[in-house]
PDB file of all heavy atoms in Angstrom:
ATOM      1  N   CYS A 547     -17.040 -89.893  32.654  1.00 91.00           N
ATOM      2  CA  CYS A 547     -16.890 -90.577  31.473  1.00 91.00           C
ATOM      3  C   CYS A 547     -15.951 -89.880  30.591  1.00 91.00           C
ATOM      4  O   CYS A 547     -14.932 -90.444  30.039  1.00 91.00           O
ATOM      5  CB  CYS A 547     -18.162 -91.031  30.860  1.00 91.00           C
ATOM      6  SG  CYS A 547     -19.185 -92.288  31.745  1.00 91.00           S
ATOM      7  N   ALA A 551     -12.179 -90.807  29.580  1.00 92.00           N
ATOM      8  CA  ALA A 551     -11.786 -91.131  28.174  1.00 92.00           C
ATOM      9  C   ALA A 551     -10.655 -90.226  27.725  1.00 92.00           C
ATOM     10  O   ALA A 551      -9.692 -90.655  27.065  1.00 92.00           O
ATOM     11  CB  ALA A 551     -12.979 -90.822  27.327  1.00 92.00           C
ATOM     12  N   TRP A 555      -7.042 -91.579  26.211  1.00 90.00           N
ATOM     13  CA  TRP A 555      -6.610 -91.116  24.945  1.00 90.00           C
ATOM     14  C   TRP A 555      -5.219 -90.480  24.998  1.00 90.00           C
ATOM     15  O   TRP A 555      -4.358 -90.549  24.110  1.00 90.00           O
ATOM     16  CB  TRP A 555      -7.590 -90.214  24.274  1.00 90.00           C
ATOM     17  CG  TRP A 555      -8.578 -90.817  23.322  1.00 90.00           C
ATOM     18  CD1 TRP A 555      -8.267 -91.902  22.605  1.00 90.00           C
ATOM     19  CD2 TRP A 555      -9.924 -90.446  23.083  1.00 90.00           C
ATOM     20  NE1 TRP A 555      -9.543 -92.214  21.973  1.00 90.00           N
ATOM     21  CE2 TRP A 555     -10.415 -91.415  22.228  1.00 90.00           C
ATOM     22  CE3 TRP A 555     -10.719 -89.362  23.454  1.00 90.00           C
ATOM     23  CZ2 TRP A 555     -11.736 -91.333  21.683  1.00 90.00           C
ATOM     24  CZ3 TRP A 555     -12.045 -89.370  23.089  1.00 90.00           C
ATOM     25  CH2 TRP A 555     -12.537 -90.310  22.129  1.00 90.00           C
ATOM     26  N   PHE A 586     -16.225-106.553  21.625  1.00 90.00           N
ATOM     27  CA  PHE A 586     -17.579-106.244  21.337  1.00 90.00           C
ATOM     28  C   PHE A 586     -18.478-107.407  20.997  1.00 90.00           C
ATOM     29  O   PHE A 586     -19.633-107.511  21.282  1.00 90.00           O
ATOM     30  CB  PHE A 586     -17.738-105.178  20.174  1.00 90.00           C
ATOM     31  CG  PHE A 586     -17.336-103.801  20.633  1.00 90.00           C
ATOM     32  CD1 PHE A 586     -16.237-103.195  20.116  1.00 90.00           C
ATOM     33  CD2 PHE A 586     -18.092-103.058  21.600  1.00 90.00           C
ATOM     34  CE1 PHE A 586     -15.916-101.844  20.555  1.00 90.00           C
ATOM     35  CE2 PHE A 586     -17.719-101.845  22.065  1.00 90.00           C
ATOM     36  CZ  PHE A 586     -16.688-101.175  21.464  1.00 90.00           C
ATOM     37  N   TYR A 704     -16.082 -86.567  12.678  1.00 90.00           N
ATOM     38  CA  TYR A 704     -16.577 -87.608  13.534  1.00 90.00           C
ATOM     39  C   TYR A 704     -17.475 -87.032  14.653  1.00 90.00           C
ATOM     40  O   TYR A 704     -18.435 -87.709  14.979  1.00 90.00           O
ATOM     41  CB  TYR A 704     -15.446 -88.358  14.092  1.00 90.00           C
ATOM     42  CG  TYR A 704     -15.674 -89.360  15.329  1.00 90.00           C
ATOM     43  CD1 TYR A 704     -16.246 -90.648  14.990  1.00 90.00           C
ATOM     44  CD2 TYR A 704     -15.404 -89.057  16.566  1.00 90.00           C
ATOM     45  CE1 TYR A 704     -16.605 -91.472  16.086  1.00 90.00           C
ATOM     46  CE2 TYR A 704     -15.752 -90.022  17.651  1.00 90.00           C
ATOM     47  CZ  TYR A 704     -16.275 -91.242  17.445  1.00 90.00           C
ATOM     48  OH  TYR A 704     -16.526 -92.059  18.474  1.00 90.00           O
ATOM     49  N   SER A 716     -26.964 -96.552  20.363  1.00 87.00           N
ATOM     50  CA  SER A 716     -26.183 -96.490  21.649  1.00 87.00           C
ATOM     51  C   SER A 716     -24.723 -96.217  21.412  1.00 87.00           C
ATOM     52  O   SER A 716     -24.207 -96.632  20.311  1.00 87.00           O
ATOM     53  CB  SER A 716     -26.495 -97.941  22.400  1.00 87.00           C
ATOM     54  OG  SER A 716     -25.782 -98.991  21.704  1.00 87.00           O
ATOM     55  N   ALA A 717     -24.083 -95.889  22.548  1.00 80.00           N
ATOM     56  CA  ALA A 717     -22.528 -95.654  22.406  1.00 80.00           C
ATOM     57  C   ALA A 717     -21.923 -97.115  22.039  1.00 80.00           C
ATOM     58  O   ALA A 717     -20.957 -96.978  21.329  1.00 80.00           O
ATOM     59  CB  ALA A 717     -22.075 -95.166  23.813  1.00 80.00           C
ATOM     60  N   PHE A 718     -22.574 -98.211  22.533  1.00 85.00           N
ATOM     61  CA  PHE A 718     -21.975 -99.592  22.206  1.00 85.00           C
ATOM     62  C   PHE A 718     -22.036 -99.805  20.853  1.00 85.00           C
ATOM     63  O   PHE A 718     -21.024-100.103  20.086  1.00 85.00           O
ATOM     64  CB  PHE A 718     -22.696-100.478  23.098  1.00 85.00           C
ATOM     65  CG  PHE A 718     -22.240-102.019  22.825  1.00 85.00           C
ATOM     66  CD1 PHE A 718     -21.556-102.613  23.909  1.00 85.00           C
ATOM     67  CD2 PHE A 718     -22.464-102.683  21.705  1.00 85.00           C
ATOM     68  CE1 PHE A 718     -21.123-103.918  23.741  1.00 85.00           C
ATOM     69  CE2 PHE A 718     -22.013-104.060  21.536  1.00 85.00           C
ATOM     70  CZ  PHE A 718     -21.331-104.626  22.570  1.00 85.00           C
ATOM     71  N   THR A 721     -19.385 -97.485  18.768  1.00 85.00           N
ATOM     72  CA  THR A 721     -18.150 -97.857  18.974  1.00 85.00           C
ATOM     73  C   THR A 721     -17.853 -99.151  18.322  1.00 85.00           C
ATOM     74  O   THR A 721     -16.767 -99.405  17.725  1.00 85.00           O
ATOM     75  CB  THR A 721     -17.880 -97.871  20.496  1.00 85.00           C
ATOM     76  OG1 THR A 721     -18.355 -96.705  21.151  1.00 85.00           O
ATOM     77  CG2 THR A 721     -16.356 -97.923  20.719  1.00 85.00           C
ATOM     78  N   ALA A 722     -18.778-100.229  18.435  1.00 90.00           N
ATOM     79  CA  ALA A 722     -18.517-101.545  17.870  1.00 90.00           C
ATOM     80  C   ALA A 722     -18.431-101.340  16.340  1.00 90.00           C
ATOM     81  O   ALA A 722     -17.563-102.019  15.572  1.00 90.00           O
ATOM     82  CB  ALA A 722     -19.684-102.473  18.175  1.00 90.00           C
ATOM     83  N   GLN A 724     -17.384 -98.816  14.625  1.00 89.00           N
ATOM     84  CA  GLN A 724     -16.127 -98.392  14.360  1.00 89.00           C
ATOM     85  C   GLN A 724     -14.921 -99.427  14.350  1.00 89.00           C
ATOM     86  O   GLN A 724     -14.119 -99.441  13.390  1.00 89.00           O
ATOM     87  CB  GLN A 724     -15.744 -97.273  15.291  1.00 89.00           C
ATOM     88  CG  GLN A 724     -16.392 -95.958  15.218  1.00 89.00           C
ATOM     89  CD  GLN A 724     -16.011 -95.087  16.250  1.00 89.00           C
ATOM     90  OE1 GLN A 724     -16.605 -94.936  17.337  1.00 89.00           O
ATOM     91  NE2 GLN A 724     -14.985 -94.197  15.879  1.00 89.00           N
ATOM     92  N   VAL A 760      -8.439-101.569  26.090  1.00 92.00           N
ATOM     93  CA  VAL A 760      -8.752-100.339  27.005  1.00 92.00           C
ATOM     94  C   VAL A 760      -9.035 -99.052  26.322  1.00 92.00           C
ATOM     95  O   VAL A 760     -10.036 -98.441  26.601  1.00 92.00           O
ATOM     96  CB  VAL A 760      -7.524-100.155  27.902  1.00 92.00           C
ATOM     97  CG1 VAL A 760      -7.732 -98.855  28.896  1.00 92.00           C
ATOM     98  CG2 VAL A 760      -7.132-101.395  28.771  1.00 92.00           C
ATOM     99  N   VAL A 761      -8.262 -98.745  25.340  1.00 90.00           N
ATOM    100  CA  VAL A 761      -8.572 -97.495  24.524  1.00 90.00           C
ATOM    101  C   VAL A 761      -9.621 -97.636  23.564  1.00 90.00           C
ATOM    102  O   VAL A 761     -10.638 -96.803  23.526  1.00 90.00           O
ATOM    103  CB  VAL A 761      -7.179 -97.050  23.863  1.00 90.00           C
ATOM    104  CG1 VAL A 761      -7.439 -95.812  23.151  1.00 90.00           C
ATOM    105  CG2 VAL A 761      -6.176 -96.860  24.967  1.00 90.00           C
ATOM    106  N   THR A 762      -9.596 -98.499  22.621  1.00 84.00           N
ATOM    107  CA  THR A 762     -10.535 -98.731  21.594  1.00 84.00           C
ATOM    108  C   THR A 762     -11.862 -98.908  22.153  1.00 84.00           C
ATOM    109  O   THR A 762     -13.021 -98.203  21.808  1.00 84.00           O
ATOM    110  CB  THR A 762     -10.270 -99.797  20.584  1.00 84.00           C
ATOM    111  OG1 THR A 762      -9.054 -99.464  19.951  1.00 84.00           O
ATOM    112  CG2 THR A 762     -11.310 -99.954  19.516  1.00 84.00           C
ATOM    113  N   VAL A 763     -12.142 -99.823  23.075  1.00 86.00           N
ATOM    114  CA  VAL A 763     -13.429-100.104  23.714  1.00 86.00           C
ATOM    115  C   VAL A 763     -13.659 -99.085  24.768  1.00 86.00           C
ATOM    116  O   VAL A 763     -14.756 -98.504  24.859  1.00 86.00           O
ATOM    117  CB  VAL A 763     -13.351-101.482  24.293  1.00 86.00           C
ATOM    118  CG1 VAL A 763     -14.807-101.786  25.029  1.00 86.00           C
ATOM    119  CG2 VAL A 763     -13.101-102.561  23.242  1.00 86.00           C
ATOM    120  N   GLY A 764     -12.776 -98.950  25.663  1.00 88.00           N
ATOM    121  CA  GLY A 764     -13.039 -97.939  26.939  1.00 88.00           C
ATOM    122  C   GLY A 764     -13.167 -96.630  26.539  1.00 88.00           C
ATOM    123  O   GLY A 764     -14.279 -95.939  26.803  1.00 88.00           O
ATOM    124  N   ALA A 765     -12.098 -95.874  25.885  1.00 88.00           N
ATOM    125  CA  ALA A 765     -12.153 -94.623  25.670  1.00 88.00           C
ATOM    126  C   ALA A 765     -13.274 -94.079  24.688  1.00 88.00           C
ATOM    127  O   ALA A 765     -13.988 -93.122  24.979  1.00 88.00           O
ATOM    128  CB  ALA A 765     -10.698 -94.211  25.038  1.00 88.00           C
ATOM    129  N   TYR A 766     -13.369 -94.894  23.530  1.00 84.00           N
ATOM    130  CA  TYR A 766     -14.297 -94.523  22.638  1.00 84.00           C
ATOM    131  C   TYR A 766     -15.864 -94.824  23.142  1.00 84.00           C
ATOM    132  O   TYR A 766     -16.818 -94.060  22.879  1.00 84.00           O
ATOM    133  CB  TYR A 766     -14.189 -95.397  21.328  1.00 84.00           C
ATOM    134  CG  TYR A 766     -13.343 -94.661  20.463  1.00 84.00           C
ATOM    135  CD1 TYR A 766     -12.040 -95.118  20.167  1.00 84.00           C
ATOM    136  CD2 TYR A 766     -13.690 -93.637  19.603  1.00 84.00           C
ATOM    137  CE1 TYR A 766     -11.154 -94.568  19.323  1.00 84.00           C
ATOM    138  CE2 TYR A 766     -12.751 -93.055  18.735  1.00 84.00           C
ATOM    139  CZ  TYR A 766     -11.485 -93.506  18.576  1.00 84.00           C
ATOM    140  OH  TYR A 766     -10.619 -92.883  17.739  1.00 84.00           O
ATOM    141  N   GLY A 767     -15.962 -95.822  23.900  1.00 85.00           N
ATOM    142  CA  GLY A 767     -17.248 -95.987  24.521  1.00 85.00           C
ATOM    143  C   GLY A 767     -17.706 -94.955  25.490  1.00 85.00           C
ATOM    144  O   GLY A 767     -18.767 -94.551  25.622  1.00 85.00           O
ATOM    145  N   LEU A 768     -16.608 -94.491  26.369  1.00 89.00           N
ATOM    146  CA  LEU A 768     -16.883 -93.456  27.414  1.00 89.00           C
ATOM    147  C   LEU A 768     -17.275 -92.152  26.582  1.00 89.00           C
ATOM    148  O   LEU A 768     -18.044 -91.433  27.157  1.00 89.00           O
ATOM    149  CB  LEU A 768     -15.704 -93.377  28.403  1.00 89.00           C
ATOM    150  CG  LEU A 768     -15.463 -94.604  29.325  1.00 89.00           C
ATOM    151  CD1 LEU A 768     -14.270 -94.428  29.893  1.00 89.00           C
ATOM    152  CD2 LEU A 768     -16.714 -94.734  30.400  1.00 89.00           C
ATOM    153  N   TYR A 769     -16.411 -91.873  25.602  1.00 85.00           N
ATOM    154  CA  TYR A 769     -16.627 -90.632  24.916  1.00 85.00           C
ATOM    155  C   TYR A 769     -17.963 -90.575  24.116  1.00 85.00           C
ATOM    156  O   TYR A 769     -18.634 -89.594  24.320  1.00 85.00           O
ATOM    157  CB  TYR A 769     -15.506 -90.441  23.936  1.00 85.00           C
ATOM    158  CG  TYR A 769     -15.482 -89.085  23.083  1.00 85.00           C
ATOM    159  CD1 TYR A 769     -15.301 -88.037  23.697  1.00 85.00           C
ATOM    160  CD2 TYR A 769     -15.823 -89.176  21.671  1.00 85.00           C
ATOM    161  CE1 TYR A 769     -15.411 -86.712  22.964  1.00 85.00           C
ATOM    162  CE2 TYR A 769     -15.969 -87.968  20.953  1.00 85.00           C
ATOM    163  CZ  TYR A 769     -15.687 -86.791  21.616  1.00 85.00           C
ATOM    164  OH  TYR A 769     -15.828 -85.601  20.970  1.00 85.00           O
ATOM    165  N   ASN A 770     -18.271 -91.769  23.491  1.00 82.00           N
ATOM    166  CA  ASN A 770     -19.533 -91.725  22.922  1.00 82.00           C
ATOM    167  C   ASN A 770     -20.723 -91.598  23.837  1.00 82.00           C
ATOM    168  O   ASN A 770     -21.689 -90.843  23.510  1.00 82.00           O
ATOM    169  CB  ASN A 770     -19.718 -93.075  21.973  1.00 82.00           C
ATOM    170  CG  ASN A 770     -18.723 -93.027  20.969  1.00 82.00           C
ATOM    171  OD1 ASN A 770     -18.094 -92.136  20.593  1.00 82.00           O
ATOM    172  ND2 ASN A 770     -18.732 -94.165  20.233  1.00 82.00           N
ATOM    173  N   TYR A 771     -20.598 -92.228  25.009  1.00 85.00           N
ATOM    174  CA  TYR A 771     -21.519 -92.021  25.999  1.00 85.00           C
ATOM    175  C   TYR A 771     -21.749 -90.482  26.455  1.00 85.00           C
ATOM    176  O   TYR A 771     -22.816 -89.951  26.535  1.00 85.00           O
ATOM    177  CB  TYR A 771     -21.270 -92.858  27.286  1.00 85.00           C
ATOM    178  CG  TYR A 771     -22.303 -92.842  28.381  1.00 85.00           C
ATOM    179  CD1 TYR A 771     -23.503 -93.444  28.344  1.00 85.00           C
ATOM    180  CD2 TYR A 771     -22.044 -91.902  29.438  1.00 85.00           C
ATOM    181  CE1 TYR A 771     -24.355 -93.247  29.402  1.00 85.00           C
ATOM    182  CE2 TYR A 771     -22.883 -91.699  30.464  1.00 85.00           C
ATOM    183  CZ  TYR A 771     -24.083 -92.348  30.408  1.00 85.00           C
ATOM    184  OH  TYR A 771     -24.999 -92.237  31.384  1.00 85.00           O
ATOM    185  N   GLY A 772     -20.586 -89.997  26.570  1.00 84.00           N
ATOM    186  CA  GLY A 772     -20.618 -88.448  27.121  1.00 84.00           C
ATOM    187  C   GLY A 772     -21.265 -87.568  26.180  1.00 84.00           C
ATOM    188  O   GLY A 772     -22.026 -86.729  26.464  1.00 84.00           O
ATOM    189  N   VAL A 773     -20.876 -87.867  24.852  1.00 79.00           N
ATOM    190  CA  VAL A 773     -21.415 -86.952  23.670  1.00 79.00           C
ATOM    191  C   VAL A 773     -22.887 -87.251  23.653  1.00 79.00           C
ATOM    192  O   VAL A 773     -23.612 -86.220  23.390  1.00 79.00           O
ATOM    193  CB  VAL A 773     -20.702 -87.278  22.367  1.00 79.00           C
ATOM    194  CG1 VAL A 773     -21.399 -86.644  21.220  1.00 79.00           C
ATOM    195  CG2 VAL A 773     -19.223 -86.808  22.405  1.00 79.00           C
ATOM    196  N   SER A 774     -23.349 -88.398  23.826  1.00 80.00           N
ATOM    197  CA  SER A 774     -24.875 -88.631  23.775  1.00 80.00           C
ATOM    198  C   SER A 774     -25.556 -87.891  24.883  1.00 80.00           C
ATOM    199  O   SER A 774     -26.842 -87.815  24.854  1.00 80.00           O
ATOM    200  CB  SER A 774     -25.031 -90.236  23.897  1.00 80.00           C
ATOM    201  OG  SER A 774     -24.756 -90.756  25.081  1.00 80.00           O
TER     202      SER A 774
END
Side-chain angles (χ1 to χ4, degrees):
C547 288
W555 268 331
F586 284 117
Y704 166 79
S716 67
F718 184 106
T721 313
Q724 287 178 270
V760 179
V761 178
T762 297
V763 178
Y766 275 102
L768 292 168
Y769 181 71
N770 291 354
Y771 176 85
V773 169
S774 71

